[in-house]
Amino acid sequence: MSLTRFSCVIRATQKLQVYQWAWSCKHKADYSSRAESFLTGSNVNYLEAQYLDWAKTKGSIDSSWDNFYDSLSGPALQIEDIQDEFSPTTVKPKSKQDTSKDKEAITEKIKLHLAVQNLIRSYQARGHLLAKTDPLGLSLAASYIMKSKNATLETKGLECRIVSREIGEKHMDMVFKLPDRTCIGGTETELSLREIIHRLENVYCRSIGTEYLHLFDIDCINFIRERMETPGALDKSVEEKRLIMRRLTKAVFLEKYFATKWPAEKRFGLEGGESMVVMLEEIVDTSTKLGVESIVMAMQHRGRLNMLVNVCRKQLTDIFAQFKPMEPKEAGSGDIKYHLGTYIHRFIRRTNKYIKVSMSANPSHLEVVSPVVVGKTRAEQYWKGDNNGDKVMAIIMHGDAAFSGQGVVYETMHLGNLPAFTTHGSIHIVCNNQIGYTTDPRFARSSPYCSDVAKCVDAPVFHVNADDAEAVAHVARVAIEYRCKFKKDVVLDLVCYRRFGHSEEDEPMFTQPFMYKKIKSMQTVDKIYGEKLKAEGIVTDADVKGWEKEYMDTLNRHFELAKKVTKLSIMDWIDTPWTGFFEARDPKKVEETGISETSINTISRHFCKAPEPWAFEVHKGVNRILANREKMVNEGVADWAMGEALAFGSLLRDKIHIRFTGEDVERGTMAHRHHVYHHQGVDGATYRVLDVLYPDQANYALHNSSLSEFGILGYEVGYSYSSPQLLTIWEAQYGDFADTAQPVFDTFICNGESKWVCQSGIVVQLPHGVDGAGPEHSSGRVERYLQACDDDEDNIPDLDDKEMALKQLRSANWIVCNVTTPANYFHLIRRQIALPFRKPVILMTPKVGLKHPFYRSKFSEFLPGTCFQRAIPEAGPASKKPECVKKLLFCSGKVAITIDELRKEKKLEDQIAMCRIEQLFPFPYDIVLQEFCKYECAKVYFCQEEHKNQGPWLFAKVRLENLFGKKIECISRPPSAASATGIKWMHAKELKELKEKIIKI
């Protein structure tokens, strides 16, 4: 064979190997250079020279090459069959027709392989649209998509345009190599198209619809793909199947028992969604295996009683007792049975481990409890030192209509990756009844699924048919494994139905006749699963009947015990107990709030000191602020920021953990606080002032929050429930903005103790003051909080009782204040920890007063022996000659600055007396009465800067008049729909008129 012919063979062989490589590299992830041929371009010259030597003298080279060169020069070789552009021009080329056919065949094969890959990808990405997740068989997510396009949907095999376009029936028995991005083959690398589709249908289009390709992390995608696609992944052992059957029996028969014993009682049963018990039990069991020690749960009312019994292990006797009217042992309003919480330390037999499970009490306002539970979880992680979420996690259950309709769901879920708020992943379970009260999903949301908000926060979603118990258990296990491995949120959409109406007394046929005709024909899930297991030979009729009888006997026994309960105990339903706290405190004693002079000097000097300039570059404006602070410290005077620092620093010294959040709290909305300095030359470098005050101090968790009031306030309320040994503070950017968190005030802060014996010491700070900033930057709406106070204005307490003030605080549902001195703010904050109980505080904080000379306190007012002043009596010239005083003004807040300045300006300091009511509720009757009696000749007014129909006037009016026995006049701005004007001219006019009324004698 000639050298030219040899070179042609070499290059043609190379070309064939390129084709082989092109096919193999698509399907073999472990392909490497070691698998390549030696017939590469770099070796051609060497082989040509060696061939010439071999052709001349066969013994001139190693005999191992003889077979190779013999095969190249043999008569069977047809160069024409493998010619290419390097072949000699003397060789007759193939016809254009033959070449075209070869290219077409190769192109067709490539297209088919790509089509198979696209098919697999389509099932992974959109197979959930065709999943049979609706137990009623009435809805399909793909139908939603096609209806939105006014198109009809074909759902038979490959005709479905949702999943595949290029492949037809003729390709069904062709074998294709499987790509790396699928696990359906298991150990097999090639499958027929028919088998590929069969396996994909089983994984993605049966009882589970999986949405996960929107995730950013490829490891998360691969994890879910492996757990869902691997052959046998959904298989359950005999023991697991029998356990599922027993759990379904308990869930179904408990609801039947409720319906039999109390047919007309509202209980929001779980009928139609009983497999949720299986889901929760699987999560709890598996979590203990993965190291979780505590689960904090939130849940809507539907199915709550079943969860309390079968997951939280609440005693049946306590549940049954709730169905009969009984006098409560404790004071308070209590709550309906399907709002109550509990906690228990459960022993899990499958893992031989204990786990604490708590169900948080919640109101009827759906989803308000969601951020509360996330906050409780974060707090418990803090107390356990669980920095990665390995030991404590949250499970939050939702209704389908609420999950897609309530904005607080997103406000809660978007906290998941914020460093100061993350709980390292929560499991969200949607009890998807496919209806919201009487509203169909097509009128309740604008997306195919109620769970679509999850895609905003990088969370996978598992839609599962509630009537397939094994599928429910499987997605539950995958969800908890995913959460524990990746520390991210995951959503389980349990698609079920509501066997009865919104409540048991409701008639659903009024509005959903077609759905409820179908529901009436549905078997319960225990019957469906029982028949399946009987067909598999795993259980017998005797087994099932035995379990049913055993559970019915248990129910009957506890029903008889419940008859013996004569009084209702709200304390039995506490979800977060403060063990030992109340027993260790003297209930009649408020601890000292003043601090030593040494502590004052230590904290104040530290608060004025900048970090070393060579190590940290502080903004020059901060340096000016620190210089002014140092000047005040040298004078022995504190402004608002210093009073706050003294309160926080002394509590941190006393080992009291402080958590302080809000939208701008690190600097302060009005730039007065500056607890965090930012390096002017290094991006992201900060110096946290109070973090390094004492070497053994408690943790000071000061964090700016996202622009959310509802979610963040709910979160901090939950955090405050965790322990009495902490101070939790939430500060609104402006007091007006707290109105978007109104449900948290109305359902948790205001009445949580009354309903659930759940105390909280949270402090809510609302910047407040009418100073020309317009209607949304002026008022914390103090009137709203005062209206929610729970005392009787006609019932004046015993003013001779030395413990009156403490008794008032103990019986109050919360405390409402508007303090005007740094010292009083200091004592108020420290009193939160000094009290033998915990109460929420709603505090109107200053804006102008933050830097005004009137809002100053001497260091002597912080020393031991000083305390919080519920009202500050007149201490100026008027107090020296009370008989000469013509006007007595009771007031609250910033208006005191205006009164004081006017008195000095008009030389009326001896004729106008002022009493500042610092604690509006509980009302300081004793101090107010003393001031009234002191100035017998004076005409009494209540003065406020707010409009007459707002502010504290209406609250104070009744109490003052009942106390004094005479009518009181008001000095204020005129009534207004808005909290303040936004027109400068109007603001000036109102202020001028207010001043004229103040100084008028």
Side-chain angles (χ1 to χ4, degrees):
M1 184 173 69
S2 68
L3 179 60
T4 303
R5 182 180 176 87
F6 172 80
S7 300
C8 177
V9 171
I10 293 295
R11 299 186 187 281
T13 305
Q14 286 178 312
K15 184 174 181 179
L16 286 175
Q17 290 174 336
V18 167
Y19 278 117
Q20 292 169 356
W21 173 82
W23 286 107
S24 62
C25 72
K26 287 178 178 290
H27 310 293
K28 294 184 179 179
D30 59 348
Y31 188 88
S32 68
S33 60
R34 291 177 295 177
E36 295 178 359
S37 170
F38 66 91
L39 299 178
T40 59
S42 58
N43 293 326
V44 169
N45 294 333
Y46 170 77
L47 292 172
E48 287 176 346
Q50 191 181 59
Y51 174 74
L52 291 175
D53 294 339
W54 176 83
K56 291 177 182 177
T57 308
K58 289 196 175 184
S60 61
I61 64 172
D62 191 278
S63 60
S64 61
W65 288 92
D66 290 350
N67 289 336
F68 173 69
Y69 290 123
D70 282 337
S71 67
L72 292 179
S73 58
L77 181 65
Q78 299 295 324
I79 294 299
E80 292 78 5
D81 293 340
I82 55 174
Q83 71 178 351
D84 67 356
E85 64 273 19
F86 297 101
S87 302
T89 56
T90 55
V91 178
K92 182 180 178 181
K94 281 189 176 183
S95 67
K96 291 183 178 180
Q97 184 177 2
D98 291 341
T99 302
S100 176
K101 287 181 180 180
D102 290 344
K103 288 183 178 179
E104 288 178 2
I106 292 171
T107 301
E108 181 64 21
K109 286 183 178 181
I110 292 175
K111 282 184 177 180
L112 286 176
H113 276 78
L114 291 175
V116 170
Q117 290 191 37
N118 287 337
L119 175 69
I120 294 171
R121 178 75 175 186
S122 295
Y123 269 101
Q124 293 171 339
R126 297 187 294 277
H128 58 86
L129 296 172
L130 297 172
K132 315 303 185 295
T133 56
D134 180 10
L136 301 177
L138 301 178
S139 65
L140 194 69
S143 302
Y144 181 96
I145 304 296
M146 300 307 290
K147 283 179 182 178
S148 67
K149 296 183 177 181
N150 296 318
T152 57
L153 178 66
E154 302 173 4
T155 58
K156 296 181 180 179
L158 297 175
E159 295 178 351
C160 177
R161 289 172 290 151
I162 295 292
V163 173
S164 177
R165 296 179 179 85
E166 298 90 350
I167 306 176
E169 186 65 33
K170 64 181 180 179
H171 305 110
M172 294 296 284
D173 294 317
M174 288 183 63
V175 175
F176 294 88
K177 284 186 175 294
L178 297 174
D180 298 334
R181 299 306 184 190
T182 184
C183 301
I184 58 172
T187 57
E188 299 174 272
T189 58
E190 297 181 347
L191 291 174
S192 68
L193 178 59
R194 191 182 306 278
E195 182 63 19
I196 290 172
I197 292 174
H198 173 70
R199 295 190 184 188
L200 290 171
E201 286 280 329
N202 282 336
V203 171
Y204 292 109
C205 299
R206 293 293 184 260
S207 295
I208 301 173
T210 310
E211 290 187 272
Y212 67 103
L213 289 191
H214 60 277
L215 302 179
F216 298 125
D217 191 337
I218 190 65
D219 291 334
C220 295
I221 293 174
N222 289 336
F223 176 87
I224 294 174
R225 182 185 287 131
E226 180 183 339
R227 294 299 190 279
M228 300 304 298
E229 291 185 354
T230 302
L234 274 68
D235 294 346
K236 302 293 179 187
S237 67
V238 172
E239 292 76 14
E240 288 174 328
K241 291 181 178 181
R242 289 172 67 89
L243 181 60
I244 290 172
M245 185 63 213
R246 295 199 66 172
R247 287 171 170 171
L248 288 175
T249 300
K250 291 181 178 181
V252 171
F253 273 76
L254 179 60
E255 296 296 345
K256 288 181 177 179
Y257 198 82
F258 286 143
T260 302
K261 295 295 184 182
W262 301 279
E265 186 81 17
K266 188 185 292 186
R267 55 185 169 81
F268 297 97
L270 193 57
E271 290 97 337
E274 294 96 338
S275 58
M276 181 181 280
V277 171
V278 173
M279 178 176 283
L280 265 295
E281 286 286 78
E282 182 63 42
I283 291 173
V284 172
D285 288 357
T286 306
S287 67
T288 60
K289 181 180 179 181
L290 299 173
V292 176
E293 298 175 359
S294 177
I295 292 177
V296 186
M297 297 171 61
M299 186 181 184
Q300 76 288 344
H301 45 273
R302 183 159 313 286
R304 190 180 186 91
L305 297 181
N306 211 315
M307 293 296 118
L308 286 170
V309 172
N310 287 312
V311 178
C312 300
R313 297 296 194 263
K314 188 65 179 173
Q315 288 295 315
L316 282 163
T317 304
D318 295 332
I319 296 287
F320 292 158
Q322 286 284 330
F323 281 88
K324 61 180 182 179
M326 290 185 294
E327 179 186 356
K329 294 179 182 178
E330 303 88 6
S333 64
D335 205 347
I336 44 184
K337 51 189 169 290
Y338 42 83
H339 285 175
L340 300 176
T342 191
Y343 82 101
I344 189 175
H345 290 273
R346 276 187 59 182
F347 180 73
I348 306 300
R349 292 186 176 87
R350 289 172 69 181
T351 57
N352 290 324
K353 292 183 178 180
Y354 279 95
I355 185 170
K356 190 187 87 170
V357 179
S358 64
M359 174 77 77
S360 293
N362 73 282
S364 285
H365 281 55
L366 297 176
E367 302 298 341
V368 182
V369 72
S370 298
V372 174
V373 159
V374 177
K376 288 175 70 173
T377 304
R378 170 78 178 209
E380 191 169 340
Q381 289 174 348
Y382 169 79
W383 294 115
K384 286 181 175 288
D386 183 16
N387 298 323
N388 297 315
D390 297 321
K391 299 177 182 179
V392 184
M393 61 169 283
I395 298 176
I396 307 173
M397 287 166 275
H398 314 262
D400 53 317
F403 197 67
S404 59
Q406 295 288 311
V408 71
V409 172
Y410 175 76
E411 288 195 43
T412 302
M413 295 187 73
H414 92 285
L415 301 176
N417 289 324
L418 302 184
F421 296 89
T422 181
T423 58
H424 311 284
S426 301
I427 295 181
H428 297 265
I429 299 174
V430 182
C431 182
N432 188 349
N433 299 309
Q434 307 184 75
I435 188 172
Y437 210 133
T438 64
T439 304
D440 290 331
R442 65 182 183 274
F443 302 121
R445 61 177 183 265
S446 299
S447 60
Y449 300 114
C450 62
S451 57
D452 285 329
V453 67
K455 296 177 185 177
C456 297
V457 293
D458 198 34
V461 183
F462 298 92
H463 310 277
V464 61
N465 188 321
D467 275 359
D468 187 339
E470 290 183 18
V472 170
H474 179 70
V475 296
R477 183 176 297 179
V478 173
I480 182 61
E481 290 176 346
Y482 178 90
R483 184 270 165 195
C484 289
K485 181 177 177 64
F486 297 103
K487 302 297 190 295
K488 294 182 178 181
D489 281 7
V490 57
V491 176
L492 297 175
D493 178 18
L494 182 71
V495 187
C496 53
Y497 56 89
R498 196 180 64 192
R499 188 170 290 277
F500 304 110
H502 179 68
S503 64
E504 287 68 24
E505 58 192 23
D506 194 29
E507 176 50 75
M509 291 289 284
F510 288 150
T511 51
Q512 278 76 32
F514 185 77
M515 172 185 277
Y516 274 86
K517 285 176 184 176
K518 176 68 175 178
I519 288 174
K520 287 179 180 179
S521 68
M522 297 292 290
Q523 282 187 310
T524 55
V525 65
D526 64 322
K527 298 297 182 187
I528 296 171
Y529 192 58
E531 294 300 322
K532 178 179 183 294
L533 295 190
K534 290 174 190 176
E536 294 176 2
I538 291 174
V539 301
T540 63
D541 276 329
D543 291 331
V544 175
K545 292 185 182 301
W547 293 332
E548 293 173 354
K549 181 181 183 303
E550 178 186 0
Y551 194 58
M552 283 298 296
D553 290 344
T554 300
L555 294 172
N556 287 325
R557 185 169 63 254
H558 284 86
F559 179 76
E560 293 301 319
L561 291 173
K563 293 179 180 179
K564 301 177 182 179
V565 179
T566 58
K567 282 202 173 185
L568 186 67
S569 176
I570 305 175
M571 294 291 292
D572 290 342
W573 299 87
I574 291 178
D575 56 43
T576 310
W578 291 349
T579 306
F581 169 70
F582 299 103
E583 295 80 1
R585 304 293 289 266
D586 184 345
K588 297 182 179 181
K589 180 182 178 182
V590 180
E591 295 179 358
E592 175 69 63
T593 57
I595 59 176
S596 68
E597 189 172 349
T598 302
S599 296
I600 293 173
N601 289 333
T602 301
I603 298 168
S604 61
R605 294 293 176 187
H606 177 83
F607 196 50
C608 298
K609 184 180 178 182
E612 295 294 338
W614 59 265
F616 197 95
E617 183 184 350
V618 177
H619 190 279
K620 58 184 180 181
V622 173
N623 282 323
R624 285 196 298 269
I625 292 171
L626 294 179
N628 290 332
R629 284 179 183 170
E630 187 174 15
K631 182 180 178 182
M632 281 192 296
V633 169
N634 292 334
E635 295 170 353
V637 175
D639 63 358
W640 192 270
M642 182 60 73
E644 181 180 70
L646 290 171
F648 292 177
S650 58
L651 288 175
L652 293 172
R653 177 205 60 189
D654 296 339
K655 307 297 189 296
I656 299 299
H657 168 43
I658 300 175
R659 180 175 171 88
F660 188 3
T661 65
E663 288 153 18
D664 303 284
V665 295
E666 293 181 4
R667 189 201 73 170
T669 303
M670 271 60 74
H672 73 287
R673 183 171 292 122
H674 290 287
H675 284 191
V676 178
Y677 305 152
H678 292 262
H679 199 301
Q680 299 301 296
V682 180
D683 184 39
T686 60
Y687 177 82
R688 304 178 69 88
V689 183
L690 294 184
D691 284 12
V692 290
L693 181 56
Y694 293 97
D696 57 347
Q697 68 180 54
N699 175 256
Y700 180 41
L702 173 74
H703 303 290
N704 287 342
S705 74
S706 65
L707 195 65
S708 160
E709 287 82 29
F710 194 164
I712 300 298
L713 179 58
Y715 185 103
E716 300 307 337
V717 168
Y719 201 98
S720 72
Y721 285 151
S722 67
S723 170
Q725 303 300 334
L726 70 89
L727 177 66
T728 308
I729 306 173
W730 177 75
E731 182 176 83
Q733 191 178 61
Y734 288 88
D736 316 60
F737 301 163
D739 55 6
T740 60
Q742 200 64 42
V744 182
F745 290 107
D746 291 345
T747 60
F748 278 93
I749 304 176
C750 173
N751 50 31
E753 182 179 3
S754 177
K755 293 190 293 187
W756 310 311
V757 200
C758 189
Q759 293 192 10
S760 165
I762 189 169
V763 177
V764 177
Q765 299 193 161
L766 306 177
H768 173 86
V770 183
D771 47 22
E776 276 75 54
H777 292 78
S778 297
S779 176
R781 292 289 188 177
V782 65
E783 63 274 7
R784 292 180 178 173
Y785 305 102
L786 292 172
Q787 187 181 28
C789 296
D790 65 350
D791 79 329
D792 183 356
E793 67 269 18
D794 296 325
N795 184 13
I796 298 174
D798 182 3
L799 303 183
D800 295 325
D801 187 351
K802 293 182 179 180
E803 297 178 2
M804 184 204 75
L806 184 59
K807 288 180 179 178
Q808 277 187 306
L809 290 171
R810 187 185 298 278
S811 62
N813 61 323
W814 59 11
I815 302 166
V816 182
C817 295
N818 190 350
V819 300
T820 57
T821 73
N824 231 17
Y825 176 49
F826 164 87
H827 287 294
L828 174 64
I829 293 297
R830 286 186 54 81
R831 190 182 70 172
Q832 282 297 92
I833 302 301
L835 289 170
F837 45 82
R838 295 291 177 262
K839 297 287 178 180
V841 168
I842 308 299
L843 176 62
M844 302 294 127
T845 57
K847 295 185 294 179
V848 171
L850 294 173
K851 300 171 185 177
H852 196 282
F854 185 79
Y855 277 53
R856 297 285 188 270
S857 296
K858 296 179 181 179
F859 279 171
S860 59
E861 298 174 53
F862 298 84
L863 293 172
T866 57
C867 64
F868 176 71
Q869 293 179 276
R870 293 171 292 133
I872 302 178
E874 174 63 56
S879 65
K880 306 299 188 291
K881 295 182 179 181
E883 66 279 1
C884 298
V885 173
K886 298 178 180 179
K887 200 170 193 178
L888 172 60
L889 300 178
F890 289 99
C891 66
S892 179
K894 183 177 74 71
V895 73
I897 298 177
T898 305
I899 296 171
D900 188 65
E901 289 176 344
L902 280 172
R903 291 190 306 179
K904 292 177 180 178
E905 179 186 342
K906 303 297 182 180
K907 309 297 184 184
L908 296 173
E909 293 175 275
D910 58 345
Q911 297 183 51
I912 299 178
M914 174 176 63
C915 177
R916 290 174 274 167
I917 301 176
E918 303 279 282
Q919 179 178 287
L920 289 162
F921 179 75
F923 197 72
Y925 287 100
D926 50 343
I927 304 175
V928 168
L929 184 60
Q930 288 172 9
E931 286 295 283
F932 172 76
C933 294
K934 184 175 181 179
Y935 303 99
E936 296 179 348
C937 302
K939 190 168 183 180
V940 181
Y941 294 85
F942 185 86
C943 182
Q944 65 177 29
E945 63 173 347
E946 297 88 354
H947 294 276
K948 192 172 183 179
N949 60 324
Q950 302 164 22
W953 158 240
L954 295 175
F955 178 84
K957 175 182 183 292
V958 216
R959 286 157 180 80
L960 290 173
E961 290 179 347
N962 288 343
L963 181 62
F964 302 156
K966 69 177 198 176
K967 292 290 183 181
I968 302 298
E969 294 186 28
C970 178
I971 298 175
S972 69
R973 283 177 165 85
S976 170
S979 61
T981 179
I983 302 171
K984 290 184 179 180
W985 179 87
M986 184 68 72
H987 173 72
K989 179 176 179 292
E990 289 179 352
L991 183 58
K992 179 183 177 184
E993 292 173 354
L994 179 65
K995 289 180 176 180
E996 289 173 352
K997 293 176 185 177
I998 290 173
I999 61 174
K1000 184 178 179 181
I1001 302 297

